[in-house]
Amino acid sequence: MNIQKNKQKGTAAKTRWTDLLSQAVSLMIVFLMLAAVAFTSGRLFGKDITAKAASQAEAAPTYSLPTPQELADLGYPNATLSERDSAIWDVTTSDGKSVGTLYNSARWGKDIIGFAGPTPLFILTDTDGRVLHITAQANQETEGYFGQASQLLHVWNGKTPAEALSQKVDAISGATYTSRAIIGNVQATFSALETGSSAIGKAPLLGWIKTVAVIAVMLFGILAAWKFRGNKRMRITVLVLNVLVLGFWTGQFISLSLLRSWMENGVDWIGALPAVVMVALAVLLPYFGRKNFYCTWVCPYGSIQELAWMLPLPKIKVNAKVFRRMKQLRLVVLGIILLMLWMGIGAEILDYEPFTAFMFTSAPIGVVIFSVAFVVLSLFAPRIWCQALCPVGMLLNTAEDNTIPTKKAKK
């Protein structure tokens, strides 16, 4: 009897370790798939990995001059630039009159990342050192969100570097990451001019109040998943908190855009702290028996679909075979998106992930309509987006998969 029990325990332990190893391999495969996406951009974790970058590794860094359009945006389309430093130019008009000095913030804000990547600026000051104009350089931020955040580009006009550093500027609601990146570039540049150091204080881009709120909601979800599974009232509470706090209030969710940005530009561990914790929980909790944790207990878009499904309306019966087909379709969608990104095309499609509709003041109207449509569909069938299309859910499911194919015994 004891020998049999010990044998069963040994088999169970071996199976557990095999499952963990399989999950680890699945996670590594997902990591490599995302790394391949980053490779097509020529950047990996914020480092330029192109051959050109390798040949210039020992050369002094150079920073781009403004384009004619950027000079026009600064108010001096016909200006002449005389290099003072690799990122600093003296600016004169066509008749030789001195305008002031132009700074490329990429030199001092190289580690400052918006939602989709770096957001460098050109900062023009007059001969007295006061800001004349600030304009953005080319970046990968979504046009709608950057359009909202660009309202900030005028708030420092007329300020000296010291005055700009002491000025409190709040992020634009609905475009928090992008606007914080703009603020950070200005502060890093002026800090370097004033103190010789571009170092600025590190804090979550959301602010500590929202950061604590996000983490508290996720911890509440963990508690519900472990201790109150099956409790409908607790379930509804978790879903409502996800929608209101993670969705509409803070705009925190996992998206392919976010993961792609991290792979290309690196992770701002403090600035993106809520998202870092969210991804960590999504990756780690399946190892402790909570598969699909993010999709089931955290995702605000999945939560709003489930709340819609709970409303007492006529329902469409969906059998198990249809659900399997939906999952297969979701895998195809993920495969197509990754293939397009590996080929260096179609990155714009990531701007249309429905999660971003929670920031409805900044989201493109097409995204809002697309997102609302799936919520309406979820009134009649459960979580249609999650079941049939969501590439993030499929990616996370792949990362936590511990199934080992086995041959069925012949009868």
Side-chain angles (χ1 to χ4, degrees):
M1 181 73 73
N2 289 334
I3 294 176
Q4 183 66 23
K5 287 184 177 179
N6 289 336
K7 186 175 181 179
Q8 290 175 347
K9 289 181 179 179
T11 301
K14 184 178 179 180
T15 300
R16 176 60 178 158
W17 280 109
T18 302
D19 288 346
L20 288 175
L21 179 61
S22 180
Q23 284 180 301
V25 171
S26 298
L27 180 61
M28 181 58 67
I29 290 172
V30 169
F31 174 83
L32 292 175
M33 288 192 297
L34 291 172
V37 171
F39 264 88
T40 61
S41 73
R43 290 174 60 84
L44 185 64
F45 297 122
K47 303 296 183 182
D48 197 332
I49 56 175
T50 61
K52 181 179 178 181
S55 66
Q56 295 178 345
E58 297 181 1
T62 57
Y63 300 94
S64 61
L65 287 161
T67 64
Q69 180 58 55
E70 288 165 343
L71 280 175
D73 292 340
L74 289 166
Y76 294 91
N78 300 314
T80 300
L81 304 182
S82 302
E83 183 175 312
R84 186 194 300 179
D85 196 351
S86 59
I88 306 175
W89 300 269
D90 292 319
V91 183
T92 55
T93 61
S94 56
D95 58 3
K97 181 180 178 180
S98 177
V99 174
T101 307
L102 181 66
Y103 303 90
N104 187 333
S105 75
R107 174 177 176 178
W108 303 281
K110 57 183 179 294
D111 296 324
I112 298 172
I113 305 299
F115 185 79
T119 55
L121 308 172
F122 283 116
I123 302 173
L124 178 62
T125 61
D126 64 18
T127 53
D128 293 325
R130 295 186 178 276
V131 176
L132 283 173
H133 298 286
I134 298 176
T135 193
Q137 299 181 42
N139 58 68
Q140 297 179 5
E141 300 297 285
T142 302
E143 185 177 349
Y145 302 126
F146 196 83
Q148 287 284 103
S150 62
Q151 301 173 43
L152 294 174
L153 296 176
H154 308 289
V155 302
W156 294 280
N157 286 357
K159 306 289 185 182
T160 65
E163 291 169 345
L165 287 172
S166 63
Q167 183 179 4
K168 178 175 173 53
V169 180
D170 295 323
I172 302 296
S173 178
T176 304
Y177 284 94
T178 306
S179 52
R180 287 291 185 188
I182 290 174
I183 296 168
N185 270 275
V186 172
Q187 290 180 337
T189 302
F190 287 154
S191 177
L193 297 180
E194 286 293 292
T195 67
S197 171
S198 61
I200 55 177
K202 284 284 187 178
L205 298 178
L206 286 179
W208 282 108
I209 293 176
K210 287 185 176 181
T211 296
V212 171
V214 168
I215 294 174
V217 168
M218 289 190 287
L219 291 177
F220 185 68
I222 294 174
L223 176 65
W226 249 278
K227 297 295 185 181
F228 299 98
R229 183 181 290 269
N231 185 316
K232 186 175 181 180
R233 182 175 296 178
M234 182 65 73
R235 176 69 181 164
I236 292 175
T237 302
V238 170
L239 296 176
V240 171
L241 286 174
N242 289 343
V243 171
L244 295 181
V245 177
L246 304 186
F248 288 112
W249 188 35
T250 64
Q252 294 299 290
F253 43 79
I254 300 175
S255 67
L256 282 183
S257 292
L258 178 69
L259 298 177
R260 174 174 175 254
S261 173
W262 285 1
M263 293 299 294
E264 290 184 8
N265 305 298
V267 182
D268 183 348
W269 299 99
I270 301 300
L273 182 60
V276 169
V277 174
M278 189 175 285
V279 172
L281 292 176
V283 170
L284 295 176
L285 285 183
Y287 288 86
F288 297 91
R290 289 297 177 266
K291 296 187 72 172
N292 299 320
F293 174 78
Y294 173 78
C295 296
T296 306
W297 293 96
V298 177
C299 178
Y301 192 59
S303 296
I304 199 170
Q305 289 177 86
E306 185 170 340
L307 288 171
W309 169 249
M310 289 179 177
L311 295 176
L313 294 170
K315 306 300 179 184
I316 300 173
K317 292 184 178 180
V318 183
N319 60 39
K321 183 177 180 180
V322 173
F323 277 122
R324 286 196 297 272
R325 296 298 185 194
M326 285 182 175
K327 187 172 183 179
Q328 291 170 353
L329 175 60
R330 192 173 61 160
L331 179 59
V332 170
V333 170
L334 174 62
I336 291 173
I337 292 174
L338 288 178
L339 182 61
M340 291 173 66
L341 294 175
W342 291 336
M343 294 172 64
I345 60 176
E348 299 80 9
I349 197 173
L350 300 184
D351 293 340
Y352 292 88
E353 293 181 272
F355 321 112
T356 56
F358 283 108
M359 289 89 77
F360 57 88
T361 58
S362 305
I365 186 63
V367 174
V368 175
I369 294 172
F370 183 67
S371 178
V372 171
F374 278 97
V375 175
V376 172
L377 286 174
S378 294
L379 292 168
F380 311 104
R383 289 182 177 231
I384 295 297
W385 170 263
C386 303
Q387 302 282 359
L389 293 172
C390 183
V392 174
M394 191 69 247
L395 198 68
L396 292 175
N397 287 167
T398 303
E400 66 189 36
D401 185 24
N402 66 345
T403 57
I404 301 175
T406 57
K407 294 182 179 179
K408 292 184 178 180
K410 294 183 179 179
K411 292 184 179 181

